[in-house]
Amino acid sequence: MAVPRGASLAKGRPAGAGRDPFFDNAKFLLIVLVVVGHHWGPMTGAARSVHAGYLFVYAFHMPLFALLCGYFSRGFTGRPEQIRKLITTVLVPYLVFETVYAGMYTLCWGEPFSITPAQPRYLCWFLVALFVWRLSTPLWRAVRWPIVLALLISLAAGLTYTGDSLALAKVLGFLPWFVLGLCLRPAHFRPLRTVAARRCALPVLLGGVAAAYWASPLLGANWLGMEVGYADLGVSPERYLGTRCALFGVAAVLCAAFLALVPTGRTWFTVLGAVTMYPYLLHGLVIKGVESVGFHDLTAAGGHLAIVLTTVCAAALTVPLSSVPVRRVLRPVIEGRFPRPLIPRRERERSPS
């Protein structure tokens, strides 16, 4: 059965029989981790185990998403039709949902309503990052050692004040993962799809969980969110650079281990991995909505059982938010088409459809 047309955070070829289910499976499992991570965020102070789980998830899930975005941006050369698609599937959804989240903050927390596209709210930062990263793709093809250069830029961003505009700290902080994805080829993933890799992956991930639990009293989430530099973290530049490099290494190992456990064939959720943009943009409305009425405080007060049950519910939320009815309603916003009258006449004549 062919995968229906859909919008994914890590966009590749149009959905269809030619898609590799391995990557769609990975994207679905990652979006589940995104939802779970955002659910845990308001409760990290409730229990050491929640904080440890939060650290473990954030150590690799956004780096891996950025890597996959880079991998599926390898064909981007800046052609007019690619720019138009980037506008309609990334920039337009960003502007729409930035407005929606502004309204939610007003309704739920009484903040003055204001639309500030230069200062992304909540999860909208990733759309800004994807827009900037993809536009920069030709640059990384034009330089030698692009991964090293991107890593130096990322580290330098933490040594300077980048401000809040366009989530620049996050855009630059996660940049090396996008560039790494640009440099990867299908052959690089083959060793992760072997029996030997799967046998090693589970112990590695369990070791990561144990390490996160051990480090949870010592390591704040700010180290993984890429939002602040060394001064705000209260450490010296030397310690900042050393810790960030170590975290890059940890993330690389965890990304590899995670991918090794991803099913390589079609599963019931493969089709949902092709439409990750929908649950990504929508789940934040649910998370923020329940947070505004004190749901997370009640969950934390209920102890570990309540946290586990609500975590399962949060993970399951990904499925209805990816459903056909939701996609049908929101497709004009998330997967809209560029207005034909704005396309240059010479291109319209070449492609009349």
Side-chain angles (χ1 to χ4, degrees), residues 96-337:
V96 171
F97 278 87
E98 182 66 20
T99 304
V100 170
Y101 277 98
M104 164 157 270
Y105 278 56
T106 299
L107 290 174
C108 295
W109 287 282
E111 295 185 7
F113 179 78
S114 61
I115 301 175
T116 55
Q119 295 180 313
R121 285 179 172 83
Y122 197 31
L123 49 72
C124 292
W125 74 269
F126 196 76
L127 296 184
V128 175
L130 182 57
F131 189 80
V132 172
W133 291 339
R134 192 157 289 172
L135 283 178
S136 74
T137 297
L139 167 67
W140 303 111
R141 291 201 183 89
V143 298
R144 194 178 184 186
W145 302 315
I147 300 173
V148 174
L149 179 58
L151 179 60
L152 293 175
I153 291 173
S154 175
L155 293 173
L159 298 177
T160 58
Y161 177 70
T162 56
D164 298 327
S165 296
L166 297 177
L168 192 57
K170 283 178 168 286
V171 172
L172 298 179
F174 288 105
L175 176 64
W177 298 104
F178 178 82
V179 176
L180 174 59
L182 283 176
C183 297
L184 294 178
R185 297 295 179 267
H188 293 115
F189 291 94
R190 290 191 192 117
L192 301 177
R193 302 168 72 164
T194 62
V195 174
R198 286 195 291 272
R199 287 175 178 170
C200 297
L202 185 57
V204 169
L205 291 178
L206 291 177
V209 172
Y213 189 83
W214 171 81
S216 57
L218 308 173
L219 189 66
N222 284 336
W223 277 101
L224 304 173
M226 302 292 182
E227 292 181 286
V228 297
Y230 82 96
D232 292 319
L233 289 168
V235 297
S236 66
E238 295 78 13
R239 183 182 173 189
Y240 174 81
L241 292 174
T243 304
R244 279 286 307 279
C245 288
L247 290 174
F248 274 124
V250 168
V253 172
L254 293 178
C255 286
F258 177 86
L259 288 175
L261 291 180
V262 170
T264 57
R266 293 189 63 81
T267 67
W268 66 267
F269 55 80
T270 301
V271 64
L272 303 182
V275 292
T276 48
M277 186 70 82
Y278 290 87
Y280 180 81
L281 290 172
L282 294 172
H283 83 273
L285 299 174
V286 179
I287 296 293
K288 284 298 183 183
V290 298
E291 181 184 352
S292 69
V293 296
F295 176 81
H296 289 94
D297 293 333
L298 292 174
T299 300
H304 284 88
L305 179 59
I307 292 172
V308 170
L309 291 176
T310 57
T311 297
V312 172
C313 292
L317 179 65
T318 311
V319 176
L321 294 183
S322 307
S323 64
V324 173
V326 170
R327 301 202 309 264
R328 185 177 295 121
V329 171
L330 293 179
R331 181 166 289 157
V333 173
I334 296 178
E335 297 181 84
R337 297 183 181 276

